[in-house]
Amino acid sequence: MSGTTTSYRERLRDTASGFFQQYGLAFVMVASYFGSGSIFIASSAGVRFGYALLWAVVGAALLGFMAQDMSARLGIFGEPLMEFVRRKVGGRLAMVLAVVLSSGCLLWAFELTAAVGKGLSLLLGGAVGWMPLAFLSGLAAVVVGVLNYEGIEQLMTAMMIGLLVVYLAVTGTTAPPLSAIATGFVPSVPNVGALTLVASILGTTALWPNFFLESNLVAEKGWTGISDVAPMRRDLSIGYAVGGVTTITILVLAAAVLRPAGYTELETFLTPGLALGEVLGEWARTVFLVGAVAAAFNSIIPIMWTPSYLVQHARGKEADSANRSFKAIYAVLVTISGLSPLITMFFGLGIIDMILLFPAYNAIVGLPITAVFLFWAVNDSDVMGEHRNTRTLSALNAALVVLAIVSAATSLPGVFDALVSGGL
């Protein structure tokens, strides 16, 4: 019996090892975007418009896939994105851009540590306030984030699959109407307000730090030539399928349970969990909150790897996740992100303000800058050679650039007013 058990464990280990030799990078990318903001936006879409915006989730996943594909091909056939930026604009301007973009990552991490702290506080019944828990979550992210890349990749994959199982389990108990779900995959816009949520769904999925990360991390997978494009795309397909289905389950859960219960608006990304407790029972509340906390914590690590790559490449240095200086930049910035309670104390911004405003800042500043440089890089024949974008890919990439710029221009006034007035 023990021999059979040992043999089974060895086969399981060999299977997992074989999987991670070819796949896993996409799960790191998906984990970075699937955080508190994604849960809040998907839940809001379900509460306000039922199943009508399911098509936007599918479209966002396809857009994210295409953007990551371009970033990966840049890393395989050319060079990491920030190295390209430094060659084109010079070291001084590249460093300025690195600092501006890194500040956006830090703002993102502030809202994520605050979200984790609030979620843990609720799970503990309020016995501990969110502020100390937010700081501790930052320290925990430091410890996890300095592990070797392979360990992080395996952890992110396990957690994303776990989140999918968790939300499928909760949604499965609600028996949502399949015919209504099917109609949601047909593009429609119920009213003008739905357009804002469509843009938000797209914006949280096409996450600009991932454009830098993917172009760096393909080297970690050993993807260096034309033969690696197929496994890279299979990896992206698997990862974005898991992320997309998880987002769909959250939207369906909100539409099937919260909307019929009379909810028309959500206060925070944790509200669905609290509401589910009233409708389905305490178990659903706990499961949803654990998943939400895990998703927010997951996002901290890959997002905060980005500044290390940006700063090192802007300085003209090699960026290696195993390098001491790389880990030092990561550790310092993530520790600072654990000080998110100070944002509330000194600037009057609540957790929901941070969850909405800080990603919006990134959509206004980081996404347009990154989209423009990615478009430039994948169409540069000196960098990509014969592997530069086709006309079709160029058109899709141009659409991403236009979407980023238009979204930034329309969002800027509202975000600026909220920041200077102390919140939403």
Side-chain angles (χ1 to χ4, degrees):
M1 184 70 175
S2 61
T4 303
T5 302
T6 301
S7 177
Y8 172 76
R9 288 175 178 172
E10 288 177 349
R11 290 198 304 272
L12 185 62
R13 184 168 55 250
D14 291 342
T15 300
S17 177
F19 175 85
F20 286 110
Q21 283 179 4
Q22 295 192 68
Y23 309 114
L25 174 55
F27 285 94
V28 178
M29 301 297 102
V30 173
S32 69
Y33 85 71
F34 191 81
S36 48
S38 295
I39 292 174
F40 179 81
I41 290 165
S43 300
S44 295
V47 164
R48 293 179 60 188
F49 301 107
Y51 308 103
L53 298 184
L54 284 171
W55 65 269
V57 177
V58 177
L62 291 174
L63 181 64
F65 176 95
M66 289 184 290
Q68 294 305 127
D69 176 76
M70 287 184 279
S71 177
R73 288 189 295 107
L74 175 62
I76 292 171
F77 301 117
E79 60 192 348
L81 184 53
M82 183 48 85
E83 286 189 7
F84 170 83
V85 172
R86 188 178 193 277
R87 281 199 310 104
K88 293 299 183 180
V89 305
R92 185 171 299 178
L93 182 54
M95 181 56 71
V96 171
L97 289 171
V99 171
V100 170
L101 293 171
S102 295
S103 68
C105 290
L106 183 57
L107 289 177
W108 234 319
F110 277 136
E111 66 97 348
L112 290 167
T113 58
V116 172
K118 182 63 175 179
L120 290 175
S121 180
L122 286 172
L123 286 170
L124 294 172
V128 182
W130 74 268
M131 292 186 177
L133 292 173
F135 180 71
L136 291 176
S137 70
L139 296 182
V142 171
V143 174
V144 175
V146 297
L147 297 173
N148 61 67
Y149 170 77
E150 289 79 9
I152 295 291
E153 184 180 82
Q154 293 169 19
L155 176 64
M156 294 292 160
T157 302
M159 292 187 77
M160 281 307 305
I161 292 175
L163 286 171
L164 174 62
V165 172
V166 163
Y167 289 124
L168 278 175
V170 178
T171 304
T173 65
T174 65
L178 296 181
S179 59
I181 293 175
T183 61
F185 292 106
V186 179
S188 65
V189 180
N191 58 43
V192 175
L195 287 174
T196 302
L197 273 174
V198 170
S200 298
I201 291 169
L202 293 173
T204 55
T205 307
L207 204 70
W208 71 259
N210 286 354
F211 302 167
F212 286 98
L213 283 179
E214 182 96 21
S215 66
N216 283 280
L217 294 178
V218 289
E220 298 281 358
K221 301 299 292 183
W223 293 339
T224 58
I226 187 67
S227 62
D228 298 312
V229 172
M232 175 271 289
R233 286 175 172 163
R234 285 196 297 270
D235 179 55
L236 285 175
S237 298
I238 296 169
Y240 273 86
V242 170
V245 172
T246 306
T247 304
I248 286 171
T249 60
I250 293 173
L251 191 154
V252 168
L253 184 62
V257 178
L258 304 185
R259 185 174 168 87
Y263 285 88
T264 58
E265 195 170 340
L266 301 177
E267 295 180 2
T268 76
F269 82 111
L270 298 171
T271 301
L274 302 177
L276 286 172
E278 299 175 4
V279 179
L280 297 179
E282 188 64 22
W283 71 271
R285 169 190 178 275
T286 301
V287 168
F288 191 98
L289 290 179
V290 168
V293 169
F297 183 81
N298 254 5
S299 294
I300 297 172
I301 297 163
I303 285 176
M304 292 309 291
W305 272 350
T306 306
S308 295
Y309 283 111
L310 294 176
V311 171
Q312 292 291 80
H313 284 154
R315 294 170 58 205
K317 304 289 185 180
E318 182 180 351
D320 184 348
S321 60
N323 185 275
R324 183 176 298 178
S325 58
F326 182 100
K327 291 183 176 181
I329 295 170
Y330 171 84
V332 169
L333 291 179
V334 176
T335 300
I336 293 173
S337 77
L339 301 176
S340 53
L342 297 180
I343 303 293
T344 297
M345 293 178 183
F346 291 103
F347 298 98
L349 296 178
I351 296 174
I352 187 60
D353 293 322
M354 288 187 264
I355 287 175
L356 292 177
L357 291 176
F358 291 170
Y361 168 86
N362 277 285
I364 291 169
V365 178
L367 182 57
I369 292 173
T370 309
V372 167
F373 278 112
L374 180 62
F375 179 79
W376 186 1
V378 294
N379 287 285
D380 190 316
S381 57
D382 292 337
V383 174
M384 298 293 290
E386 62 180 321
H387 303 290
R388 66 179 180 175
N389 266 3
T390 62
R391 289 183 179 179
T392 302
L393 286 174
S394 292
L396 292 170
N397 198 180
L400 176 62
V401 173
V402 171
L403 175 65
I405 294 173
V406 171
S407 176
T410 55
S411 303
L412 180 59
V415 172
F416 179 77
D417 288 343
L419 287 173
V420 299
S421 63
L424 296 168

